Amino acid sequence: MTITIYRGNQIGGCITQIESASGSKIQIDFGHNLPEGDKPAYDKYDNDEELKKLLDGVSDIYYTHYHGDHIGFESKVNALGVKQHIGELSLDMVRTLKRHMRKAPIFEENANKSLEAFTKFTTYTADKTEKVGKNKDIEITPYYVSHSAIDAHMFLIHCDGKYVLHTGDFRDHGYMGEGMVKVLQKLILPKHSIDVLITEGTMLSRSSEKVMSEKELMQKARAIFKQYKYAFVLQSSTDIDRLLSFYLATCPNRKDNKKWYGRIFVTDGYQQAQIRNANKLKGPYKTIRSANIWHKHEGMLYLMPKRGFTMLVRNSETFQKLIDEIVPMIDLEHTIFIFSQWHGYIDTEGKSKNQSAIDFIHRYPWHFMELHTSGHASKEALEEVCNLANPTTAIIPIHKDPDSDFRLLNIQQELKDRVYTESTEVEGIKIQINN
């Protein structure tokens, strides 16, 4: 078996290729490089020849989730005849996103190409094993993990008698946060010994960031909403865990929002569509409800100033106009703007700063605060997973900054000795690191 890591020494755009001894090739994730601030993202695989070279002999791509740095070349991949697989709810989420994007002329053509590609996708089911590769000699089993993308998965891959666990992006502090450890303990480790662990390391270079649970974030938001009657929240519209946190903080008694007895939780049509996708899940996600301001419910603009509200916004001209309509009706002394995304986007000295986002959140003299927690595994979560999985042969870090060192984790010494960041061959497994 050969494991090839492309671009693992960066956050986003990482690609893992598994090749069997007989020549079957599959790939885990094929996303676009992340942009730096307001600049468009450069990616070598935008070049068709580079893309064809990468996918030569690849029969299947399995996507861990729907974030753009994990899925981003679907229309070009489709044209090459490579099969693409993703979770059913993830496909719903990304379809909804692309339908929304095509409303903007600048994105319309690419969005339509993506939607056409999605018609050829197949969906996988958690805990169900599939045989793939041109010789059907690679087995892959998806399992749920918690991430800032709902319906994220890790993969257990069986190839040439070896077991590879690819975690994808994960964390232990979301609403499904205990899932990773429970799945390992109950479904995987009693049956299989892990030979190779491929895992993300996003947070290793962000040790100064406080990692709170989504429940803790919700409780902080609830306290804030007792102090401020009106709140505008800028967060990712596809981060359903965060959406749920602000919903539960707004509507402790969930019947209140449905009948508008108390503080109102307000979204637009696109966010409402993503909520409907999430409602298909059992558990807390099924409880989210929202008043949709675009439908102009009777009395909505009257009730919002009267009852108080939590309104999800996006950095767009449309939302600026909507906020301009609402602001004259409310007292800005009792209004707060909450930024609930990674601080790097509004760090004026950082390479990832987004000036338009900075300008957007400072348009009015309201109170401002950041309230966010990461979608990625904390140092402690990485340590627990490494020690629990206890791979017999190798740990391969991906999705990390170049200076992040897994050997500094509090893991067993023998595991530190099995961390590989350069190409090697060990116990019959060829590891290629192409950063």
Side-chain angles (χ1 to χ4, degrees):
M1 174 173 58
T2 300
I3 299 172
T4 305
I5 305 296
Y6 296 92
R7 308 194 297 199
N9 219 22
Q10 64 181 55
I11 294 175
C14 305
I15 303 162
T16 300
Q17 184 176 286
I18 307 290
E19 181 177 1
S20 72
S22 73
S24 292
K25 283 185 186 178
I26 68 167
Q27 200 166 280
I28 308 300
D29 287 337
F30 185 12
H32 204 279
N33 277 340
L34 292 168
E36 290 190 359
D38 297 308
K39 300 176 184 176
Y42 164 78
D43 198 301
K44 68 180 289 184
Y45 298 116
D46 289 328
N47 181 297
D48 290 346
E49 291 306 312
E50 291 287 348
L51 184 140
K52 289 178 183 177
K53 190 188 306 181
L54 173 72
L55 294 180
D56 184 32
V58 174
S59 63
D60 300 83
I61 297 177
Y62 278 76
Y63 297 106
T64 56
H65 61 285
Y66 53 77
H67 281 161
D69 60 323
H70 291 257
I71 176 172
F73 294 91
E74 57 277 352
S75 59
K76 290 186 176 183
V77 171
N78 185 54
L80 294 175
V82 178
K83 298 175 184 176
Q84 300 179 84
H85 313 262
I86 198 168
E88 184 176 357
L89 180 54
S90 287
L91 185 56
D92 289 341
M93 297 290 289
V94 74
R95 275 177 171 159
T96 301
L97 171 63
K98 295 296 182 178
R99 288 179 186 130
H100 176 70
M101 290 177 66
R102 70 180 177 184
K103 295 177 182 178
I106 190 173
F107 298 124
E108 183 178 9
E109 182 179 359
N110 284 335
N112 282 329
K113 287 180 179 178
S114 293
L115 287 166
E116 173 61 26
F118 294 150
T119 64
K120 304 293 195 301
F121 272 45
T122 62
T123 57
Y124 54 72
T125 302
D127 308 341
K128 183 177 180 181
T129 301
E130 299 180 0
K131 292 185 177 182
V132 293
K134 67 179 182 180
N135 299 314
K136 302 297 182 185
D137 56 346
I138 299 175
E139 294 181 347
I140 184 166
T141 310
Y143 296 96
Y144 285 120
V145 294
S146 176
H147 181 44
S148 50
I150 202 170
D151 197 45
H153 293 80
M154 61 179 169
F155 296 115
L156 181 66
I157 301 150
H158 186 219
C159 178
D160 295 341
K162 305 287 187 180
Y163 282 97
V164 178
L165 182 65
H166 188 299
T167 68
D169 291 354
F170 77 98
R171 61 178 179 172
D172 66 348
H173 52 276
Y175 288 110
M176 292 175 61
E178 296 179 351
M180 166 70 88
V181 170
K182 285 184 177 179
V183 167
L184 283 171
Q185 291 175 330
K186 294 183 178 181
L187 299 181
I188 297 179
L189 296 179
K191 301 177 182 178
H192 313 292
S193 175
I194 305 301
D195 296 286
V196 178
L197 175 66
I198 303 172
T199 184
E200 69 134 304
T202 309
M203 291 295 291
L204 291 185
S205 60
R206 303 177 183 176
S207 57
S208 61
E209 290 187 28
K210 174 172 173 51
V211 179
M212 72 178 89
S213 70
E214 284 291 342
K215 185 176 180 180
E216 289 174 316
L217 187 147
M218 180 272 289
Q219 291 168 339
K220 286 181 180 290
R222 185 173 292 176
I224 291 166
F225 297 159
K226 289 180 180 178
Q227 184 178 359
Y228 295 96
K229 188 174 182 178
Y230 314 111
F232 296 96
V233 178
L234 180 57
Q235 68 147 90
S236 167
S237 297
T238 60
D239 186 347
I240 301 299
D241 268 19
R242 187 61 41 79
L243 210 151
L244 177 60
S245 291
F246 284 114
Y247 175 78
L248 293 176
T250 302
C251 310
N253 178 359
R254 290 184 288 274
K255 294 181 180 179
D256 284 356
N257 191 60
K258 188 175 181 181
K259 296 185 178 180
W260 298 344
Y261 290 152
R263 187 186 185 102
I264 303 171
F265 186 72
V266 184
T267 67
D268 76 339
Y270 166 60
Q271 293 155 342
Q272 181 81 351
Q274 296 292 27
I275 288 172
R276 284 195 295 270
N277 287 331
N279 285 161
K280 298 171 186 175
L281 288 180
K282 296 179 181 179
Y285 306 106
K286 205 170 184 65
T287 68
I288 311 175
R289 296 290 183 270
S290 173
N292 184 336
I293 198 167
W294 298 113
H295 288 175
K296 295 291 185 182
H297 290 293
E298 184 179 352
M300 173 63 75
L301 290 180
Y302 167 76
L303 283 171
M304 285 175 66
K306 183 177 180 181
R307 298 290 190 188
F309 61 81
T310 302
M311 178 176 171
L312 304 190
V313 300
R314 287 194 302 281
N315 177 16
S316 69
E317 185 176 338
T318 300
F319 267 95
Q320 288 181 13
K321 291 179 180 178
L322 183 58
I323 293 170
D324 286 342
E325 183 180 1
I326 295 170
V327 160
M329 306 178 187
I330 60 179
D331 181 356
L332 293 185
E333 277 300 308
H334 294 94
T335 303
I336 191 166
F337 192 104
I338 298 174
F339 183 73
S340 192
Q341 294 181 340
W342 179 49
H343 173 75
Y345 298 140
I346 58 171
D347 180 358
T348 55
E349 304 299 321
K351 68 177 184 178
S352 299
K353 77 168 183 177
N354 186 312
Q355 190 58 50
S356 64
I358 294 171
D359 294 341
F360 179 63
I361 63 180
H362 292 301
R363 290 182 74 239
Y364 300 99
W366 42 36
H367 300 275
F368 172 80
M369 75 172 299
E370 295 181 54
L371 184 59
H372 178 62
T373 194
S374 178
H376 296 275
S378 65
K379 174 176 172 289
E380 293 75 20
L382 287 172
E383 291 168 346
E384 183 175 20
V385 167
C386 287
N387 283 321
L388 187 59
N390 193 25
T392 61
T393 304
I395 294 175
I396 306 176
I398 63 171
H399 209 284
K400 69 178 188 66
D401 284 325
D403 58 351
S404 297
D405 188 354
F406 266 57
R407 296 179 184 89
L408 298 179
L409 290 174
N410 184 21
I411 57 178
Q412 306 165 51
Q413 183 58 49
E414 56 264 35
L415 291 180
K416 294 183 180 183
D417 296 338
R418 295 171 192 158
V419 174
Y420 291 98
T421 56
E422 296 181 356
S423 298
T424 190
E425 186 167 344
V426 55
E427 297 188 19
I429 300 173
K430 190 174 182 180
I431 298 172
Q432 296 273 10
I433 308 293
N434 296 342
N435 288 327

